[in-house]
Amino acid sequence: MKTIKQVLYILVAMMLIGAVAGCSHSGKQTMTEKQKKTYNEIQSATLKMISDPARRQQVMTLVDQVKLDTAQYEKDRIVFLRELNALDVNYDSTDKDYQTLFASQDAKLDEFQKSAVSIHQKIMKLLTKEEYDNLKDVRDDAIAAYITSIQ
């Protein structure tokens, strides 16, 4: 099974991919479309692979929360990059201005990571080993397809 550290690595990798692919090329999906596709694939697999309706609904709710958290962090990251750019072009910016901005962004990232770990732990408690293994494969496939689509 994946450890919490590996899950965080995947989440951070997806965020970094988002940062690198911030501007889309013509003919390619936008980041939002890619994220929606990935979550749709995970939700579809969840519906198919978890037979118990109560557990399936709980997992779907948690997947939806990850989607919301990711979208919020992406918005926060965009604001951060705009504010960082504004500081970079302002010759009156001080080290304290940068430290304050980075401290705020670090706090948002910490909150995002703590939420991801908490959700992951809840999902692991709800799934059987077989369900977890099956969904892991789907999640890995979705992430691989996502990475391929932005290269």
Side-chain angles (χ1 to χ4, degrees):
M1 282 205 240
K2 288 202 175 290
T3 64
I4 292 171
K5 185 175 179 181
Q6 290 170 315
V7 170
L8 286 176
Y9 174 77
I10 289 170
L11 289 172
V12 171
M14 287 181 73
M15 288 184 298
L16 291 174
I17 290 166
V20 171
C23 54
S24 65
H25 303 285
S26 62
K28 290 196 174 188
Q29 298 173 325
T30 65
M31 291 303 296
T32 302
E33 291 169 336
K34 290 174 190 169
Q35 289 170 347
K36 284 180 185 176
K37 182 178 179 188
T38 298
Y39 284 110
N40 288 341
E41 290 171 0
I42 291 170
Q43 288 175 332
S44 175
T46 300
L47 287 171
K48 291 176 189 173
M49 293 183 193
I50 301 175
S51 58
D52 178 48
R55 286 186 309 111
R56 181 175 52 234
Q57 184 55 46
Q58 288 176 305
V59 171
M60 294 292 285
T61 299
L62 292 168
V63 169
D64 288 343
Q65 186 60 50
V66 170
K67 183 178 180 180
L68 292 172
D69 289 354
T70 302
Q72 182 58 52
Y73 183 76
E74 182 64 16
K75 289 176 187 175
D76 292 343
R77 189 187 63 80
I78 290 168
V79 169
F80 165 75
L81 292 173
R82 286 183 186 145
E83 291 175 355
L84 180 61
N85 187 46
L87 285 178
D88 286 344
V89 298
N90 180 355
Y91 293 107
D92 295 328
S93 298
T94 65
D95 284 342
K96 183 175 180 160
D97 294 333
Y98 283 94
Q99 290 170 356
T100 301
L101 179 63
F102 278 95
S104 173
Q105 186 62 15
D106 287 348
K108 290 174 184 175
L109 178 58
D110 286 346
E111 180 181 323
F112 176 70
Q113 290 174 337
K114 286 177 185 175
S115 176
V117 169
S118 173
I119 291 169
H120 181 343
Q121 290 172 340
K122 290 174 185 175
I123 289 174
M124 287 180 65
K125 289 178 183 177
L126 290 168
L127 298 178
T128 65
K129 180 173 177 8
E130 181 181 356
E131 290 167 344
Y132 181 85
D133 291 344
N134 289 338
L135 289 171
K136 175 197 168 299
D137 293 341
V138 170
R139 184 180 62 243
D140 289 349
D141 290 346
I143 292 170
Y146 173 77
I147 291 170
T148 301
S149 72
I150 63 169
Q151 292 178 342

